[in-house]
Amino acid sequence: MLKNQKLLEQLTLKEKALLMAGQGEWQTRAIKGKVKSIFLSDGPFGLRKQSGAGDHLGLNGSEPATCFPSSATLANSWDQEVGREVGRALGKEAQRLKVDQVLGPALNVKRNPRGGRSFEYYSEDPYLAGKMAAGMIQGLQENGTIATPKHLAVNSQETRRMASNSVVDERALREIYLTNFEIAVKEGQPKSIMSSYNEINGTYANEAKWLLTDTLRKDWGFAGYVVTDWGGDNDHVSGIKAGSNLAMPGLGVNAAEEVVKAVESGELSEAVLDQRVDELLTVILHAGQKPADDGFSWEKQHAVARDAAKKSLVLLKNQDQVLPLAAGTKVALVGDFAKTPRYQGAGSSLINSHDLESLLDTAKDYPIDLVGYARGCLRQGEIKSDLLEEAKALADKCDVYVANVGLDESAESEGLDRTNLAIPPCQAKLLEELAATGKPVVVVLSGGAAIELPWENKVSAILHEYLGGEAGPSAVWEVLTGKYNPSGRLAESYPLTEADIPFDNEFPEIKRNAYYKESIFVGYRYYETAGVKVKYPFGYGLSYTTFAYSNLTIDDQGVSLDVSNTGKVAGRETVQLYIGKKDSPLIRAKRELKGWTQVDLDAGETKRVAIPFDEYAFRYFDPNLGSWQEEKGRYQIMLGQNVDEILLTGEYDLKRGIVPEVKETSSYQKYREGKLLMVTDRDFEEIYGAKLPENRPAGKRELEWNDPLLEMANAKSWLGRAAAKWLARKIQESLDKSKPDLNFLFNYNMPFRAMTKMLGDTISRSMAEDILLIVNGHFWRGSGRLIRDYFQNNRKEKNDKDVQQ
């Protein structure tokens, strides 16, 4: 019997069908006298509850909220408790604003740092991403708020995000792109999860039964409900059959009628519909049951944001120990960001921050002598000689420059992938000019993902704040002045140049099929295996003190070792466990993160720490057997301060497991040695295990239902081509102002089918098909049908108003 059997028996078929889609932009459907509605809100690192009418694109203003550090920032803390604290604080704000469900955290793997939403994602490593997300989920749900990890799965680019097929081999799929979600689900126990827009090997994620039912529910034990990304419902009935519970935003009664007809025709079993409704009701009926926390205060929320930012700061360089700054140091503060901070990403996560700080405003609270501020250069664009000269003139007054530079808003946004890894040229020029004065330059770097640093050797210190949220500036001053010893470690690799990223010239894929040719070799797994040098390795971060490791012991339970603070000040060390198997016949990375621990030590203190072997330590996915296996034999156990700086090594014999059988082809050998630069489509096809879907050549053609609007550039109709050109121009205009317009970005990447998903009953499927007919060069026929179907849809809307709650 289903959990809510009695309630289900009271619902009509149409009412059950209505529950499978939302009611408006942010609420689930209410059934009068039977089922309440719950409110959902964007909120990976701060709530975005809109003040007026809801719209997913953020055109209307949102309520003031605390802006916490982005997920990419929090990951650098390597501290699950930091995630829990931020989650708890988010839950408090959700209660205050009567939000039942928060759409976050986002935890997709950073396949390429140029991914437009890399600032929202934790790491290039699935183990670290899953563990950090689990902490956030646990904290968020403590007071009854519903967490929604997203986007399941293999969601790696913003270009064509609603009409892209991720072509990925089975091992990479399981080991890289699903392990993060598996850990988050098993340890965090979220009550909801969001499916992604994209296809996975030809099937939309929201319609993949193997993913939503077999893997998510049966294998991982997920007991919540699945919600689509906004507009991500491709085929409503197929989604329900696969395991999807709620299509958002509200699709209107047209979608409900589609479900009713599917049940009546036998296409959809009512028992399956009942199962989906039951899973949804189980969460909705228990939402918001805990009493509100009457201890809310903006000051406490801001303090949580500051603490999280402080523990996530990464010191990348500290030449001649220029940091920490001594009391009374004469500081010249430079940079547009220092006055108008870059503290969050752009898109659906954009927060109306309640208490935004700046480096300039908070400098007075710390023991330095601020001798002046200069903008130095514009956020982006051309170099202004007068601004440069103003900044250089401060050299006569200061002991040190503190320059805040990085990626501006146009570089990182939902709906848009980065064009390169560089900061704007005017900012790089500013750093070079400041360095030429002979005064030490301390760079405070802002941005949500890896950045090229060709100017690194010209500056004395680099403190990376990532996107630190509203309290990031005071956290930065605490580290710069030595009030807090930096403890952050990079959650991603920093390549020497963008050209070092495997298959970077194919990212983002502008055609439908994106080939994940690097397979399991994402981030450090590639750099370490292939022997490619990087600027800063995964797990890297400096401290104001030094640490030593000794006395390693390894047994069946895990590893233990002594960690000593060999410096002069207290500090926190992050001990990282990596495991490799160099004699394996399998395609394997040289080493993989399999655990870590953090230890706080006073100067001269030693503590013994332990890191257990868990269920993920030795497993690999065997495509031939279709299951997780362990390879018996000898493993290399490595303890390090980062993936490249291993301080202790040992070996461990795993006596259980199998001896894998592999067919060693030339393609297989290329992958085993990490020689990705030699890998061809044919090589990847061999690893993929099937013929690769072909991408269509560019040129004018008939556009299809699932083609994004950007493809109108290839439309037969001049109207379509003109519309695509207009959209592209409007996007560029918004980027030139450093204010990415999500409205245009969303529409540019939206397929024709999504018109019916994002606008409820305003545009019926027939009307959207008529628009497609016009775009394909059939103006008069399409226009006539559009007028007819418009009036038919209007009449239908009026007749259906009595069933809308």
Side-chain angles (χ1 to χ4, degrees), residues 2-15:
L2 299 176
K3 294 180 181 177
N4 304 284
Q5 186 67 41
K6 290 184 179 179
L7 177 54
L8 280 165
E9 290 170 358
Q10 297 173 34
L11 297 173
T12 66
L13 175 58
K14 187 162 189 176
E15 287 173 335

Side-chain angles (χ1 to χ4, degrees), residues 73-80 82-83 132 308 311-313 487-489 572 574 596 598:
T73 311
L74 296 176
N76 292 331
S77 74
W78 288 58
D79 187 343
Q80 283 186 280
V82 167
M132 292 301 299
K311 291 175 179 175
S312 302
L313 288 162
S487 58
R489 302 291 183 264
R572 168 177 287 194
T574 300
W596 77 88
Q598 294 183 311

Side-chain angles (χ1 to χ4, degrees), residues 247-305:
M248 290 296 288
L251 302 183
V253 295
N254 281 332
E257 288 188 357
E258 186 180 340
V259 174
V260 170
K261 288 178 181 177
V263 171
E264 290 175 343
S265 68
E267 180 189 355
L268 173 66
S269 163
E270 189 165 2
V272 170
L273 177 62
D274 286 350
Q275 181 69 46
R276 296 292 91 82
V277 174
D278 186 63
E279 290 158 353
L280 178 65
L281 289 177
T282 299
V283 177
I284 288 178
L285 296 177
H286 292 86
Q289 288 192 346
K290 292 194 176 181
D293 185 340
D294 57 5
F296 180 86
S297 80
W298 289 112
E299 291 77 14
K300 290 179 181 177
Q301 298 291 98
H302 193 72
V304 171

Side-chain angles (χ1 to χ4, degrees), residues 573-591:
E573 174 66 327
T574 300
V575 183
Q576 301 163 34
L577 167 65
Y578 296 91
I579 297 180
K581 195 175 194 310
K582 59 187 178 184
D583 64 352
S584 174
L586 295 170
I587 294 172
R588 280 187 181 270
K590 184 177 181 180
R591 58 182 66 113

